[in-house]
Amino acid sequence: MEGTTEMEIEEPKSKKFGLKNSIQTNFGNDYVFQIVPKDDWSSVAVSLSTKAVKLYSPVTGQFQGECKGHSDTINQIAFSVSSSPHLLHSCSSDGTIRAWDTRTFQQVSCIDSGSSQEIFSFSFGGSNDNLLAAGAKSQVLTVSFLNLLVLFWDWRNGKQVACLEESHIEDVTQVHFVPDNRNKLLSASVDGLMCIFNTDGDINDDDDLESVINVGTSIGKVGFFGETYQKLWCLTHIESLSIWDWKDSRNEANFLEARSLASDSWTLDHVDYFVDCHCPGEGDSLWLIGGTNAGALGYFPVNYKGARTIGSPEAIFGGGHAGVVRSVLPMSSMKGGPAQSRGIFGWTGGEDGRLCCWLSDDSTGINRSWISSALVMKSPKARKKKRRNPY
């Protein structure tokens, strides 16, 4: 069944956007966790709290297929390197990292870290691009002891090649190989530490831990930006933001009251949380994406040099979501796509189980929303109101 509603968002400095369409991926207590694009933008993959991944066309919103197999929460998804663009990877609290062929939607490989381990994050890299790193928690139930791990495999044969056990004392929520420095791995944890490792040769805690950055509070999400990827942004579970130079472990800015600063810069409800940071290609520009519990979003420019302020939002998205937004996928980096993609700003997904596509109003597309229940199965569960952490 489809419904049509006129909805708009406004960007004070330039364009206005409209809601092209929205897809109800599921019902009840089911969330959209993450949206990631295929390299050629022919598909976007969407991880759901139903322990499944669904694929859609980013231009039309057409449902393409579903990958199912995980037995616990999916914590991260990512498409493979360009040599195998049809492969989608996913990690889960069931202790596995799985690869899916998105042409058939079938699982083609599975790395199992052990039944007592949870995998929160993964990254491909290394000097020869042969390493798969993962952030994990391993529970030894007999003595109630938590062993927090950074695990490494050679993804070509699935063999585990290293296990770092001494660098973190709480859940390792993020691991990222550094762009342009593929032998360097960043790990980040609930213990408030970010660690940089050299992954050349035999990897161990004693010899390969190069630096430690103490953020001081539980880390939720990190990312690299800048022309040489030397800068690092860090979002915490208390919704603070900090900017770092990872090469010399230097802090460039701290926004401990980021929510208040963002809230003061617009006229809508208080900013309740941050979804992500946006770094549009080259340069050192950074935008902080904040949202309200009612589903509105804003793109707030971050001035981390000099005055250290969070400016008025340069885009405001409202009317698409009815709950917390979990993922934002801009299509500004889409190259050479079909003509229908012109004017599409991107996709968002949230705890209302909805995917929303946002369209520039100078496009020839129709600014309407539609919800198709034919794509999904209804869940009998009651909806929870609380936002929960993805790990």
Side-chain angles (χ1 to χ4, degrees):
M1 185 173 182
E2 298 182 0
T4 301
T5 309
E6 295 283 343
M7 299 180 188
E8 285 190 349
I9 57 177
E10 55 185 337
E11 187 177 0
K13 293 186 179 181
S14 54
K15 294 181 181 179
K16 288 185 177 181
F17 293 91
L19 184 65
K20 181 187 178 186
N21 58 43
S22 66
I23 304 166
Q24 193 69 35
T25 62
N26 42 59
F27 295 87
N29 184 38
D30 297 328
Y31 296 173
V32 172
F33 282 144
Q34 189 181 6
I35 312 169
V36 300
K38 194 175 179 181
D39 189 55
D40 63 359
W41 286 88
S42 60
S43 299
V44 292
V46 181
S47 60
L48 304 170
S49 59
T50 56
K51 309 179 187 69
V53 180
K54 293 185 177 182
L55 287 97
Y56 298 89
S57 163
V59 175
T60 66
Q62 181 179 358
F63 176 68
Q64 296 175 335
E66 184 175 26
C67 302
K68 298 179 70 174
H70 283 294
S71 60
D72 208 334
T73 303
I74 297 174
N75 295 315
Q76 184 187 341
I77 56 174
F79 276 95
S80 188
V81 293
S82 56
S83 59
S84 304
H86 58 280
L87 287 184
L88 174 73
H89 299 273
S90 58
C91 72
S92 167
S93 293
D94 65 12
T96 65
I97 302 174
R98 301 175 190 241
W100 312 86
D101 188 329
T102 56
R103 298 168 298 186
T104 63
F105 310 106
Q106 298 298 309
Q107 179 180 306
V108 293
S109 69
C110 178
I111 291 177
D112 193 339
S113 65
S115 60
S116 64
Q117 294 180 358
E118 297 182 62
I119 303 294
F120 300 128
S121 179
F122 67 91
S123 183
F124 288 89
S127 296
N128 299 316
D129 281 327
N130 65 311
L131 292 178
L132 168 60
K137 175 176 70 177
S138 177
Q139 254 184 337
V140 184
L141 299 177
T142 54
V143 292
S144 300
F145 176 71
L146 294 180
N147 198 16
L148 296 314
L149 310 173
V150 179
L151 302 166
F152 294 88
W153 294 269
D154 186 326
W155 62 263
R156 297 169 300 183
N157 55 28
K159 179 182 177 182
Q160 185 172 321
V161 295
C163 177
L164 305 180
E165 304 178 89
E166 300 174 3
S167 300
H168 293 288
I169 59 172
E170 293 190 64
D171 298 357
V172 180
T173 54
Q174 297 271 280
V175 290
H176 294 282
F177 281 98
V178 182
D180 293 346
N181 287 268
R182 301 293 288 168
N183 64 323
K184 308 292 186 186
L185 180 83
L186 169 78
S187 64
S189 169
V190 174
D191 62 15
L193 301 181
M194 295 189 290
C195 298
I196 299 290
F197 298 95
N198 183 347
T199 63
D200 287 335
D202 295 331
I203 308 167
N204 61 74
D205 288 280
D206 295 330
D207 300 328
D208 296 309
L209 176 60
E210 292 191 341
S211 62
V212 178
I213 296 172
N214 188 354
V215 177
T217 189
S218 176
I219 299 168
K221 188 176 288 189
V222 298
F224 298 94
F225 72 108
E227 292 183 0
T228 62
Y229 299 103
Q230 188 166 334
K231 297 186 186 300
L232 178 67
W233 58 262
C234 173
L235 284 173
T236 73
H237 290 125
I238 61 170
E239 312 297 350
S240 62
L241 169 70
S242 57
I243 311 296
W244 303 80
D245 184 312
W246 66 266
K247 288 188 177 179
D248 59 14
S249 303
R250 175 170 47 88
N251 177 247
E252 297 195 355
N254 275 321
F255 297 90
L256 299 178
E257 301 297 330
R259 277 186 297 183
S260 296
L261 292 171
S263 298
D264 292 343
S265 71
W266 71 351
T267 58
L268 298 183
D269 291 342
H270 185 79
V271 173
D272 296 303
Y273 58 90
F274 295 113
V275 183
D276 210 338
C277 284
H278 178 55
C279 318
E282 296 180 357
D284 295 339
S285 298
L286 183 69
W287 278 263
L288 183 58
I289 306 173
T292 70
N293 289 332
L297 284 177
Y299 265 63
F300 299 88
V302 179
N303 180 5
Y304 56 91
K305 302 174 182 178
R308 290 177 171 78
T309 59
I310 295 177
S312 298
E314 296 183 1
I316 299 175
F317 299 74
H321 290 283
V324 170
V325 177
R326 286 294 195 103
S327 185
V328 178
L329 175 64
M331 292 179 68
S332 56
S333 60
M334 184 175 181
K335 298 178 181 178
Q340 301 98 306
S341 67
R342 295 172 187 166
I344 293 180
F345 174 83
W347 288 83
T348 56
E351 294 186 4
D352 54 7
R354 179 177 293 186
L355 289 173
C356 291
C357 179
W358 302 96
L359 186 71
S360 171
D361 71 350
D362 59 7
S363 166
T364 57
I366 299 174
N367 293 342
R368 293 178 177 172
S369 68
W370 56 271
I371 301 171
S372 177
S373 59
L375 301 182
V376 296
M377 293 181 65
K378 188 171 182 179
S379 167
K381 297 178 181 177
R383 176 172 172 74
K384 292 182 181 177
K385 300 295 183 184
K386 282 189 175 182
R387 183 190 184 210
R388 62 174 196 175
N389 289 327
Y391 61 89

